[in-house]
Short mmCIF file of all heavy atoms in Angstrom, two decimals:
data_model
loop_
_atom_site.label_atom_id
_atom_site.label_comp_id
_atom_site.label_asym_id
_atom_site.label_seq_id
_atom_site.Cartn_x
_atom_site.Cartn_y
_atom_site.Cartn_z
N ILE A 222 54.22 90.20 145.65
CA ILE A 222 53.10 89.49 144.95
C ILE A 222 52.23 88.84 145.99
O ILE A 222 50.99 88.83 145.83
CB ILE A 222 53.76 88.41 144.04
CG1 ILE A 222 54.44 89.12 142.83
CG2 ILE A 222 52.70 87.43 143.49
CD1 ILE A 222 55.22 88.18 141.96
N GLU A 223 52.82 88.32 147.05
CA GLU A 223 52.02 87.70 148.11
C GLU A 223 51.31 88.73 149.00
O GLU A 223 50.46 88.35 149.79
CB GLU A 223 52.89 86.78 148.93
CG GLU A 223 53.47 85.58 148.16
CD GLU A 223 54.60 84.91 148.81
OE1 GLU A 223 54.96 85.30 149.97
OE2 GLU A 223 55.22 83.99 148.19
N GLY A 224 51.69 90.01 148.87
CA GLY A 224 51.02 91.07 149.55
C GLY A 224 51.36 90.97 151.14
O GLY A 224 50.54 91.42 151.98
N ASN A 225 52.57 90.54 151.41
CA ASN A 225 52.94 90.38 152.77
C ASN A 225 54.47 90.68 153.00
O ASN A 225 55.25 89.79 153.17
CB ASN A 225 52.62 88.93 153.26
CG ASN A 225 52.88 88.77 154.79
OD1 ASN A 225 53.03 89.75 155.51
ND2 ASN A 225 52.99 87.55 155.21
N LEU A 226 54.81 91.96 152.90
CA LEU A 226 56.15 92.37 153.05
C LEU A 226 56.71 92.05 154.45
O LEU A 226 57.87 91.73 154.57
CB LEU A 226 56.32 93.84 152.74
CG LEU A 226 56.06 94.33 151.27
CD1 LEU A 226 56.46 95.78 151.09
CD2 LEU A 226 56.82 93.47 150.25
N ALA A 227 55.89 92.23 155.42
CA ALA A 227 56.36 92.06 156.82
C ALA A 227 56.99 90.76 157.02
O ALA A 227 57.98 90.63 157.77
CB ALA A 227 55.20 92.31 157.77
N ASP A 228 56.40 89.74 156.42
CA ASP A 228 56.96 88.35 156.68
C ASP A 228 57.66 87.79 155.44
O ASP A 228 58.06 86.62 155.44
CB ASP A 228 55.76 87.38 156.96
CG ASP A 228 55.03 87.77 158.27
OD1 ASP A 228 55.72 88.28 159.19
OD2 ASP A 228 53.81 87.59 158.32
N GLY A 229 57.90 88.65 154.44
CA GLY A 229 58.51 88.21 153.25
C GLY A 229 60.03 88.20 153.33
O GLY A 229 60.64 88.69 154.22
N GLU A 230 60.56 87.53 152.25
CA GLU A 230 62.05 87.47 152.18
C GLU A 230 62.71 88.83 151.86
O GLU A 230 62.09 89.65 151.13
CB GLU A 230 62.44 86.54 151.05
CG GLU A 230 63.93 86.29 150.87
CD GLU A 230 64.21 85.41 149.67
OE1 GLU A 230 63.30 84.73 149.15
OE2 GLU A 230 65.42 85.33 149.26
N ARG A 231 63.84 89.11 152.50
CA ARG A 231 64.59 90.32 152.26
C ARG A 231 66.05 89.97 151.93
O ARG A 231 66.54 88.95 152.38
CB ARG A 231 64.52 91.24 153.48
CG ARG A 231 63.08 91.71 153.84
CD ARG A 231 63.10 92.77 154.87
NE ARG A 231 63.62 94.06 154.40
CZ ARG A 231 63.62 95.16 155.07
NH1 ARG A 231 63.14 95.17 156.35
NH2 ARG A 231 64.10 96.28 154.62
N GLY A 232 66.65 90.84 151.09
CA GLY A 232 68.04 90.57 150.75
C GLY A 232 69.00 91.02 151.79
O GLY A 232 68.66 91.47 152.87
N ASP A 233 70.29 90.82 151.49
CA ASP A 233 71.35 91.22 152.39
C ASP A 233 71.53 92.75 152.37
O ASP A 233 70.86 93.43 151.56
CB ASP A 233 72.67 90.52 151.98
CG ASP A 233 72.63 89.01 152.13
OD1 ASP A 233 71.81 88.55 153.03
OD2 ASP A 233 73.25 88.30 151.30
N TYR A 234 72.37 93.24 153.18
CA TYR A 234 72.60 94.67 153.27
C TYR A 234 72.95 95.22 151.84
O TYR A 234 73.75 94.66 151.11
CB TYR A 234 73.74 95.03 154.21
CG TYR A 234 74.15 96.51 154.18
CD1 TYR A 234 73.33 97.48 154.83
CD2 TYR A 234 75.18 96.93 153.45
CE1 TYR A 234 73.60 98.77 154.78
CE2 TYR A 234 75.50 98.31 153.44
CZ TYR A 234 74.70 99.21 154.10
OH TYR A 234 75.05 100.53 154.04
N TYR A 235 72.40 96.35 151.53
CA TYR A 235 72.59 96.98 150.23
C TYR A 235 72.67 98.45 150.38
O TYR A 235 71.73 99.08 150.95
CB TYR A 235 71.33 96.57 149.35
CG TYR A 235 71.32 97.09 147.96
CD1 TYR A 235 72.20 96.68 147.01
CD2 TYR A 235 70.37 98.05 147.57
CE1 TYR A 235 72.16 97.13 145.67
CE2 TYR A 235 70.35 98.54 146.26
CZ TYR A 235 71.20 98.10 145.37
OH TYR A 235 71.20 98.56 144.07
N ASN A 236 73.72 99.07 149.85
CA ASN A 236 73.91 100.52 150.03
C ASN A 236 73.21 101.17 148.80
O ASN A 236 73.83 101.42 147.80
CB ASN A 236 75.37 100.90 150.04
CG ASN A 236 75.65 102.29 150.40
OD1 ASN A 236 74.86 103.20 150.02
ND2 ASN A 236 76.63 102.56 151.09
N TYR A 237 71.94 101.40 148.93
CA TYR A 237 71.08 101.98 147.84
C TYR A 237 71.57 103.37 147.51
O TYR A 237 71.44 103.77 146.35
CB TYR A 237 69.63 101.91 148.16
CG TYR A 237 69.15 102.81 149.21
CD1 TYR A 237 68.77 104.16 148.83
CD2 TYR A 237 69.01 102.45 150.54
CE1 TYR A 237 68.28 105.02 149.80
CE2 TYR A 237 68.53 103.31 151.47
CZ TYR A 237 68.16 104.60 151.16
OH TYR A 237 67.73 105.52 152.09
N THR A 238 72.07 104.12 148.50
CA THR A 238 72.44 105.55 148.23
C THR A 238 73.56 105.54 147.18
O THR A 238 73.64 106.31 146.21
CB THR A 238 72.84 106.22 149.47
OG1 THR A 238 71.77 106.20 150.38
CG2 THR A 238 73.18 107.71 149.16
N ASP A 239 74.64 104.68 147.46
CA ASP A 239 75.77 104.61 146.51
C ASP A 239 75.34 104.04 145.21
O ASP A 239 75.81 104.50 144.15
CB ASP A 239 76.84 103.83 147.15
CG ASP A 239 77.62 104.47 148.26
OD1 ASP A 239 77.35 105.70 148.51
OD2 ASP A 239 78.47 103.85 148.92
N SER A 240 74.42 103.05 145.18
CA SER A 240 74.06 102.46 143.96
C SER A 240 73.30 103.48 143.03
O SER A 240 73.54 103.54 141.88
CB SER A 240 73.12 101.30 144.22
OG SER A 240 72.66 100.67 143.08
N ILE A 241 72.43 104.25 143.65
CA ILE A 241 71.67 105.26 142.91
C ILE A 241 72.68 106.30 142.36
O ILE A 241 72.54 106.76 141.21
CB ILE A 241 70.64 105.92 143.81
CG1 ILE A 241 69.48 104.89 144.06
CG2 ILE A 241 70.10 107.23 143.16
CD1 ILE A 241 68.44 105.39 145.10
N ALA A 242 73.58 106.76 143.20
CA ALA A 242 74.55 107.75 142.74
C ALA A 242 75.38 107.26 141.59
O ALA A 242 75.61 108.00 140.61
CB ALA A 242 75.52 108.16 143.94
N ALA A 243 75.84 106.01 141.62
CA ALA A 243 76.64 105.45 140.51
C ALA A 243 75.79 105.33 139.31
O ALA A 243 76.18 105.62 138.12
CB ALA A 243 77.17 104.08 140.92
N PHE A 244 74.50 104.94 139.48
CA PHE A 244 73.61 104.75 138.32
C PHE A 244 73.33 106.02 137.64
O PHE A 244 73.39 106.14 136.42
CB PHE A 244 72.26 104.19 138.86
CG PHE A 244 71.21 104.06 137.79
CD1 PHE A 244 71.18 102.94 137.02
CD2 PHE A 244 70.19 104.99 137.72
CE1 PHE A 244 70.18 102.81 136.04
CE2 PHE A 244 69.19 104.89 136.78
CZ PHE A 244 69.17 103.76 135.93
N ARG A 245 73.17 107.14 138.42
CA ARG A 245 72.88 108.43 137.85
C ARG A 245 74.08 109.07 137.07
O ARG A 245 73.87 110.02 136.29
CB ARG A 245 72.37 109.39 138.90
CG ARG A 245 71.09 108.93 139.54
CD ARG A 245 70.54 109.91 140.58
NE ARG A 245 69.85 110.98 139.98
CZ ARG A 245 70.04 112.26 140.25
NH1 ARG A 245 70.92 112.63 141.18
NH2 ARG A 245 69.29 113.21 139.64
N ARG A 246 75.28 108.63 137.33
CA ARG A 246 76.49 109.11 136.63
C ARG A 246 76.63 108.47 135.28
O ARG A 246 77.49 108.98 134.49
CB ARG A 246 77.72 108.86 137.52
CG ARG A 246 77.77 109.76 138.76
CD ARG A 246 79.23 109.76 139.32
NE ARG A 246 79.57 108.50 139.88
CZ ARG A 246 79.33 108.05 141.14
NH1 ARG A 246 78.84 108.94 142.00
NH2 ARG A 246 79.70 106.87 141.55
N LEU A 247 75.96 107.38 135.00
CA LEU A 247 76.13 106.67 133.74
C LEU A 247 75.54 107.45 132.57
O LEU A 247 74.60 108.19 132.77
CB LEU A 247 75.46 105.33 133.84
CG LEU A 247 76.12 104.26 134.77
CD1 LEU A 247 75.22 103.03 134.85
CD2 LEU A 247 77.54 103.95 134.38
N PRO A 248 76.04 107.26 131.32
CA PRO A 248 75.45 107.79 130.17
C PRO A 248 74.00 107.22 129.97
O PRO A 248 73.70 106.14 130.49
CB PRO A 248 76.31 107.37 128.98
CG PRO A 248 77.62 106.98 129.67
CD PRO A 248 77.31 106.54 131.06
N ARG A 249 73.14 107.94 129.28
CA ARG A 249 71.77 107.54 129.12
C ARG A 249 71.55 106.12 128.66
O ARG A 249 70.79 105.39 129.25
CB ARG A 249 71.08 108.51 128.04
CG ARG A 249 69.58 108.26 127.88
CD ARG A 249 69.11 108.64 126.45
NE ARG A 249 69.74 107.84 125.47
CZ ARG A 249 69.40 106.63 125.16
NH1 ARG A 249 68.32 106.10 125.77
NH2 ARG A 249 70.05 105.95 124.23
N ASP A 250 72.31 105.65 127.67
CA ASP A 250 72.09 104.33 127.12
C ASP A 250 72.54 103.26 128.17
O ASP A 250 71.83 102.23 128.37
CB ASP A 250 72.79 104.09 125.79
CG ASP A 250 74.31 104.35 125.90
OD1 ASP A 250 74.72 105.08 126.84
OD2 ASP A 250 75.06 103.81 125.11
N GLU A 251 73.60 103.43 128.83
CA GLU A 251 74.01 102.54 129.85
C GLU A 251 73.06 102.47 130.95
O GLU A 251 72.83 101.37 131.61
CB GLU A 251 75.44 102.88 130.33
CG GLU A 251 76.53 102.71 129.28
CD GLU A 251 77.89 103.01 129.82
OE1 GLU A 251 78.07 102.78 131.07
OE2 GLU A 251 78.78 103.44 129.05
N ARG A 252 72.48 103.60 131.34
CA ARG A 252 71.44 103.60 132.43
C ARG A 252 70.27 102.76 132.01
O ARG A 252 69.79 101.93 132.86
CB ARG A 252 71.04 105.06 132.70
CG ARG A 252 72.03 105.89 133.45
CD ARG A 252 71.54 107.33 133.62
NE ARG A 252 70.20 107.40 134.18
CZ ARG A 252 69.78 108.47 134.91
NH1 ARG A 252 70.63 109.41 135.21
NH2 ARG A 252 68.55 108.46 135.36
N GLN A 253 69.80 102.92 130.81
CA GLN A 253 68.64 102.22 130.35
C GLN A 253 68.88 100.70 130.37
O GLN A 253 67.98 99.96 130.86
CB GLN A 253 68.28 102.63 128.89
CG GLN A 253 67.78 104.08 128.82
CD GLN A 253 66.42 104.27 129.51
OE1 GLN A 253 66.37 104.86 130.60
NE2 GLN A 253 65.40 103.80 128.93
N MET A 254 70.01 100.29 129.87
CA MET A 254 70.25 98.82 129.84
C MET A 254 70.54 98.26 131.16
O MET A 254 70.12 97.13 131.54
CB MET A 254 71.39 98.55 128.86
CG MET A 254 70.94 98.83 127.37
SD MET A 254 72.21 98.42 126.17
CE MET A 254 73.37 99.80 126.37
N LEU A 255 71.24 99.03 132.09
CA LEU A 255 71.39 98.53 133.44
C LEU A 255 70.08 98.45 134.15
O LEU A 255 69.86 97.47 134.91
CB LEU A 255 72.38 99.52 134.23
CG LEU A 255 72.65 99.18 135.67
CD1 LEU A 255 73.20 97.77 135.81
CD2 LEU A 255 73.58 100.20 136.33
N PHE A 256 69.22 99.40 134.00
CA PHE A 256 67.89 99.29 134.57
C PHE A 256 67.19 98.02 134.12
O PHE A 256 66.60 97.29 134.96
CB PHE A 256 67.04 100.51 134.19
CG PHE A 256 65.56 100.27 134.44
CD1 PHE A 256 65.00 100.25 135.68
CD2 PHE A 256 64.71 100.02 133.34
CE1 PHE A 256 63.69 100.02 135.86
CE2 PHE A 256 63.40 99.75 133.51
CZ PHE A 256 62.85 99.78 134.81
N ALA A 257 67.22 97.71 132.86
CA ALA A 257 66.51 96.52 132.32
C ALA A 257 67.09 95.25 132.92
O ALA A 257 66.38 94.39 133.29
CB ALA A 257 66.62 96.51 130.77
N ARG A 258 68.45 95.25 133.00
CA ARG A 258 69.04 93.99 133.59
C ARG A 258 68.69 93.87 135.05
O ARG A 258 68.39 92.75 135.50
CB ARG A 258 70.55 94.04 133.42
CG ARG A 258 71.01 93.94 131.95
CD ARG A 258 72.47 93.69 131.83
NE ARG A 258 73.35 94.71 132.47
CZ ARG A 258 73.74 95.82 131.80
NH1 ARG A 258 73.40 95.95 130.51
NH2 ARG A 258 74.60 96.73 132.40
N ARG A 259 68.73 94.93 135.79
CA ARG A 259 68.39 94.86 137.21
C ARG A 259 66.90 94.50 137.43
O ARG A 259 66.54 93.64 138.26
CB ARG A 259 68.57 96.24 137.91
CG ARG A 259 70.04 96.52 138.20
CD ARG A 259 70.11 97.89 138.86
NE ARG A 259 71.46 98.29 139.29
CZ ARG A 259 71.70 99.47 139.82
NH1 ARG A 259 70.83 100.40 140.00
NH2 ARG A 259 72.96 99.71 140.24
N ALA A 260 66.07 95.10 136.57
CA ALA A 260 64.59 94.80 136.65
C ALA A 260 64.31 93.33 136.35
O ALA A 260 63.51 92.68 137.01
CB ALA A 260 63.83 95.74 135.75
N ASN A 261 65.03 92.79 135.39
CA ASN A 261 64.78 91.38 135.01
C ASN A 261 65.38 90.44 136.09
O ASN A 261 64.74 89.40 136.38
CB ASN A 261 65.39 91.09 133.63
CG ASN A 261 65.17 89.65 133.19
OD1 ASN A 261 66.10 88.86 133.14
ND2 ASN A 261 63.89 89.29 132.93
N ARG A 262 66.51 90.77 136.67
CA ARG A 262 67.03 89.94 137.74
C ARG A 262 66.14 89.90 138.95
O ARG A 262 65.91 88.90 139.59
CB ARG A 262 68.43 90.39 138.12
CG ARG A 262 69.51 89.99 137.21
CD ARG A 262 70.94 90.13 137.84
NE ARG A 262 71.19 91.44 138.34
CZ ARG A 262 71.80 92.43 137.67
NH1 ARG A 262 72.20 92.18 136.43
NH2 ARG A 262 72.01 93.59 138.16
N PHE A 263 65.55 91.08 139.23
CA PHE A 263 64.75 91.27 140.41
C PHE A 263 63.36 90.51 140.18
O PHE A 263 62.82 89.94 141.11
CB PHE A 263 64.44 92.72 140.68
CG PHE A 263 63.48 92.99 141.78
CD1 PHE A 263 63.72 92.62 143.05
CD2 PHE A 263 62.23 93.64 141.53
CE1 PHE A 263 62.86 92.83 144.11
CE2 PHE A 263 61.38 93.93 142.56
CZ PHE A 263 61.70 93.51 143.87
N ASN A 264 62.85 90.56 138.95
CA ASN A 264 61.58 89.90 138.64
C ASN A 264 61.75 89.19 137.29
O ASN A 264 61.50 89.81 136.24
CB ASN A 264 60.45 90.94 138.62
CG ASN A 264 59.15 90.34 138.20
OD1 ASN A 264 58.94 89.16 138.28
ND2 ASN A 264 58.28 91.19 137.70
N SER A 265 62.19 87.93 137.29
CA SER A 265 62.44 87.27 136.09
C SER A 265 61.14 86.97 135.23
O SER A 265 61.25 86.63 134.06
CB SER A 265 63.12 85.88 136.36
OG SER A 265 62.23 85.07 137.22
N ARG A 266 59.98 87.20 135.81
CA ARG A 266 58.74 87.05 135.08
C ARG A 266 58.63 88.21 133.98
O ARG A 266 57.94 87.98 133.01
CB ARG A 266 57.55 87.14 136.00
CG ARG A 266 57.56 86.13 137.09
CD ARG A 266 56.46 86.51 138.16
NE ARG A 266 56.44 85.62 139.35
CZ ARG A 266 57.32 85.81 140.35
NH1 ARG A 266 58.16 86.77 140.40
NH2 ARG A 266 57.25 85.00 141.40
N ASN A 267 59.31 89.28 134.22
CA ASN A 267 59.19 90.44 133.38
C ASN A 267 60.23 90.32 132.22
O ASN A 267 61.31 90.83 132.40
CB ASN A 267 59.34 91.74 134.16
CG ASN A 267 59.05 92.97 133.26
OD1 ASN A 267 58.97 92.85 132.12
ND2 ASN A 267 58.93 94.11 133.96
N LYS A 268 59.87 89.67 131.17
CA LYS A 268 60.77 89.60 130.00
C LYS A 268 60.71 90.84 129.14
O LYS A 268 61.61 91.17 128.39
CB LYS A 268 60.41 88.38 129.15
CG LYS A 268 60.22 87.07 129.91
CD LYS A 268 61.56 86.54 130.44
CE LYS A 268 61.41 85.17 131.07
NZ LYS A 268 62.65 84.75 131.74
N GLU A 269 59.54 91.49 129.20
CA GLU A 269 59.31 92.61 128.32
C GLU A 269 60.30 93.74 128.53
O GLU A 269 60.66 94.44 127.59
CB GLU A 269 57.87 93.09 128.50
CG GLU A 269 57.25 93.63 127.20
CD GLU A 269 55.73 93.66 127.32
OE1 GLU A 269 55.23 94.00 128.39
OE2 GLU A 269 55.10 93.42 126.32
N VAL A 270 60.71 93.96 129.78
CA VAL A 270 61.57 95.10 130.05
C VAL A 270 62.95 94.93 129.32
O VAL A 270 63.49 95.88 128.88
CB VAL A 270 61.82 95.21 131.60
CG1 VAL A 270 62.56 94.02 132.22
CG2 VAL A 270 62.53 96.51 131.89
N MET A 271 63.48 93.75 129.26
CA MET A 271 64.64 93.50 128.48
C MET A 271 64.43 93.59 127.02
O MET A 271 65.19 94.21 126.25
CB MET A 271 65.28 92.08 128.82
CG MET A 271 65.91 92.02 130.17
SD MET A 271 67.51 92.90 130.22
CE MET A 271 68.51 91.90 129.25
N ALA A 272 63.35 92.94 126.52
CA ALA A 272 63.07 92.93 125.09
C ALA A 272 62.85 94.35 124.56
O ALA A 272 63.50 94.76 123.54
CB ALA A 272 61.82 92.12 124.80
N VAL A 273 62.08 95.16 125.19
CA VAL A 273 61.73 96.54 124.69
C VAL A 273 62.93 97.47 124.87
O VAL A 273 63.26 98.26 124.03
CB VAL A 273 60.44 97.08 125.40
CG1 VAL A 273 60.23 98.51 125.02
CG2 VAL A 273 59.24 96.21 125.01
N THR A 274 63.64 97.36 126.02
CA THR A 274 64.72 98.30 126.25
C THR A 274 65.81 98.04 125.23
O THR A 274 66.30 99.06 124.64
CB THR A 274 65.25 98.08 127.66
OG1 THR A 274 64.30 98.43 128.59
CG2 THR A 274 66.54 98.96 127.88
N TYR A 275 66.24 96.84 124.99
CA TYR A 275 67.34 96.54 124.06
C TYR A 275 66.86 96.82 122.63
O TYR A 275 67.67 97.28 121.78
CB TYR A 275 67.84 95.14 124.23
CG TYR A 275 68.86 95.01 125.30
CD1 TYR A 275 68.56 94.95 126.64
CD2 TYR A 275 70.27 95.12 125.00
CE1 TYR A 275 69.52 94.95 127.65
CE2 TYR A 275 71.25 95.07 125.95
CZ TYR A 275 70.85 94.96 127.29
OH TYR A 275 71.84 94.94 128.23
N TYR A 276 65.60 96.55 122.30
CA TYR A 276 65.11 97.00 120.98
C TYR A 276 65.19 98.51 120.79
O TYR A 276 65.72 99.02 119.79
CB TYR A 276 63.69 96.51 120.86
CG TYR A 276 62.96 97.18 119.67
CD1 TYR A 276 63.20 96.75 118.34
CD2 TYR A 276 62.05 98.21 119.86
CE1 TYR A 276 62.59 97.35 117.27
CE2 TYR A 276 61.43 98.85 118.79
CZ TYR A 276 61.71 98.35 117.51
OH TYR A 276 61.07 98.98 116.39
N ASN A 277 64.71 99.26 121.75
CA ASN A 277 64.76 100.73 121.71
C ASN A 277 66.17 101.25 121.63
O ASN A 277 66.46 102.20 120.90
CB ASN A 277 64.04 101.33 122.92
CG ASN A 277 62.52 101.30 122.71
OD1 ASN A 277 61.98 101.01 121.68
ND2 ASN A 277 61.84 101.50 123.85
N GLU A 278 67.10 100.65 122.33
CA GLU A 278 68.48 101.07 122.31
C GLU A 278 69.12 100.77 120.94
O GLU A 278 69.93 101.56 120.42
CB GLU A 278 69.34 100.45 123.41
CG GLU A 278 68.96 100.95 124.81
CD GLU A 278 69.08 102.49 124.86
OE1 GLU A 278 70.06 103.09 124.39
OE2 GLU A 278 68.16 103.10 125.40
N ALA A 279 68.76 99.62 120.32
CA ALA A 279 69.24 99.36 118.96
C ALA A 279 68.73 100.40 117.97
O ALA A 279 69.56 100.92 117.16
CB ALA A 279 68.83 97.93 118.58
N VAL A 280 67.53 100.71 118.08
CA VAL A 280 66.91 101.70 117.13
C VAL A 280 67.55 103.07 117.38
O VAL A 280 67.86 103.78 116.44
CB VAL A 280 65.38 101.71 117.24
CG1 VAL A 280 64.81 102.89 116.44
CG2 VAL A 280 64.77 100.44 116.87
N PHE A 281 67.69 103.47 118.61
CA PHE A 281 68.28 104.76 118.96
C PHE A 281 69.73 104.84 118.42
O PHE A 281 70.15 105.81 117.79
CB PHE A 281 68.36 104.89 120.49
CG PHE A 281 68.85 106.26 120.95
CD1 PHE A 281 67.97 107.31 121.11
CD2 PHE A 281 70.20 106.47 121.18
CE1 PHE A 281 68.36 108.57 121.53
CE2 PHE A 281 70.61 107.71 121.60
CZ PHE A 281 69.73 108.75 121.78
N LEU A 282 70.51 103.76 118.60
CA LEU A 282 71.81 103.66 118.04
C LEU A 282 71.93 103.88 116.59
O LEU A 282 72.75 104.62 116.04
CB LEU A 282 72.44 102.30 118.39
CG LEU A 282 73.90 102.05 118.19
CD1 LEU A 282 74.76 102.96 119.01
CD2 LEU A 282 74.27 100.59 118.44
N LEU A 283 71.06 103.32 115.83
CA LEU A 283 70.97 103.41 114.39
C LEU A 283 70.45 104.78 113.94
O LEU A 283 70.92 105.33 112.92
CB LEU A 283 70.08 102.26 113.74
CG LEU A 283 70.57 100.91 113.91
CD1 LEU A 283 69.55 99.90 113.54
CD2 LEU A 283 71.87 100.68 113.16
N ASN A 284 69.51 105.34 114.69
CA ASN A 284 68.98 106.62 114.28
C ASN A 284 69.95 107.82 114.51
O ASN A 284 69.79 108.83 113.86
CB ASN A 284 67.63 106.89 115.03
CG ASN A 284 66.50 106.09 114.41
OD1 ASN A 284 66.62 105.51 113.37
ND2 ASN A 284 65.34 106.09 115.05
#
Side-chain angles (χ1 to χ4, degrees):
I222 291 173
E223 293 163 7
N225 186 15
L226 294 188
D228 297 328
E230 179 184 351
R231 299 188 69 175
D233 296 329
Y234 174 78
Y235 179 69
N236 191 326
Y237 71 86
T238 302
D239 286 354
S240 179
I241 289 172
F244 178 81
R245 299 182 78 228
R246 288 195 295 267
L247 293 174
R249 185 208 61 82
D250 58 336
E251 292 183 29
R252 285 175 53 148
Q253 292 295 105
M254 290 184 286
L255 178 57
F256 162 75
R258 293 194 298 271
R259 284 180 175 176
N261 180 250
R262 283 198 303 268
F263 176 62
N264 176 22
S265 61
R266 303 167 186 83
N267 188 347
K268 308 294 185 185
E269 211 162 39
V270 66
M271 285 289 288
V273 174
T274 298
Y275 274 83
Y276 166 76
N277 283 345
E278 288 306 314
V280 174
F281 186 90
L282 188 65
L283 293 170
N284 281 352

